[in-house]
């Protein structure tokens, strides 16, 4: 069952965290790695992935790390707003395949919303242009508060 069970260290986010797969990085510290979603639901869709933990979803993540994780989610969300000027931002995460989860290492989505642009369906986004992603990541990183 995708909602429970053993953590599988072969998931793509674990590989990215180990440096075995590439990502378009925005920032990294001891707690998290933040990078661009390569199938974005909207321009600037990014992900915050906690490091040094085997957590499939919110339910098996250590409670004492929720504060540090969401401090970083808030910092990234503020930077996305400053860099890309969206009209709104969705901050979300999914638990279990029937809820929409496809990668079973806890992560938080930060999805800018633009009033005049449609939102792509979750996991039905088209592959992003890598140069555009790198440009967005650079702009978001430059807008991060200290
Ligand atoms: P979820 O469905 O909540 O597990 O979200 C997984 C997200 O990861 C989706 O939005 C995918 O577009 C995104 N994704 C899948 N593979 C990669 C990858 N290699 N690098 C960045 N994002 C990815």
């Amino acid at each position: 069952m995708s909602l429970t069970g053993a953590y599988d260290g072969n998931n793509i986010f674990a590989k990215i965290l180990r440096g075995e797969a590439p990502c378009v990085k925005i920032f990294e510290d001891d707690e998290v790695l933040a990078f661009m979603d390569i199938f974005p639901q909207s321009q600037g869709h990014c992900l915050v992935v906690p490091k040094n933990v085997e957590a499939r979803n919110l339910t098996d993540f250590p409670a004492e790390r929720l504060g540090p994780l969401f401090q970083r989610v808030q910092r990234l969300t503020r930077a996305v707003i400053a860099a890309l000027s969206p009209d709104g931002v969705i901050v979300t995460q999914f638990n279990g395949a029937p809820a929409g989860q496809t990668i079973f290492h806890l992560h938080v989505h930060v999805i800018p919303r633009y009033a005049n642009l449609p939102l792509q369906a979750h996991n039905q986004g088209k592959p992003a242009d890598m140069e555009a992603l790198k440009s967005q990541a650079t702009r978001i990183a430059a807008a991060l508060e200290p």
Side-chain angles (χ1 to χ4, degrees):
M1 185 180 175
S2 64
L3 186 57
T4 58
Y7 176 87
D8 179 358
N10 287 320
N11 71 78
I12 185 64
F13 290 171
K15 290 180 180 176
I16 290 172
L17 289 171
R18 290 195 297 266
E20 296 168 5
C23 72
V24 179
K25 182 162 54 171
I26 303 168
F27 78 89
E28 179 174 20
D29 64 11
D30 289 346
E31 286 286 335
V32 305
L33 174 64
F35 53 89
M36 304 305 297
D37 194 306
I38 58 170
F39 304 102
Q41 287 183 252
S42 76
Q43 182 179 309
H45 182 169
C46 47
L47 302 164
V48 183
V49 181
K51 297 164 65 169
N52 304 313
V53 68
E54 294 189 350
R56 293 165 63 87
N57 58 51
L58 186 66
T59 65
D60 55 359
F61 188 65
E64 66 275 12
R65 289 190 58 185
L66 284 170
L69 171 61
F70 274 83
Q71 285 168 4
R72 284 143 181 92
V73 170
Q74 183 192 55
R75 182 169 177 244
L76 180 66
T77 303
R78 287 175 169 166
V80 165
I81 293 168
L84 305 179
S85 302
D87 301 298
V89 184
I90 297 170
V91 175
T92 194
Q93 58 85 222
F94 302 90
N95 302 281
Q101 187 176 11
T102 57
I103 298 178
F104 299 97
H105 180 112
L106 174 64
H107 52 281
V108 180
H109 296 258
V110 176
I111 308 172
R113 291 287 286 117
Y114 307 91
N116 57 344
L117 293 176
L119 182 69
Q120 300 299 311
H122 180 60
N123 282 313
Q124 292 180 17
K126 299 185 179 75
D129 176 271
M130 283 297 142
E131 292 309 311
L133 281 194
K134 288 176 188 170
S135 169
Q136 290 161 15
T138 299
R139 290 167 62 193
I140 296 168
L144 284 166
E145 295 168 359

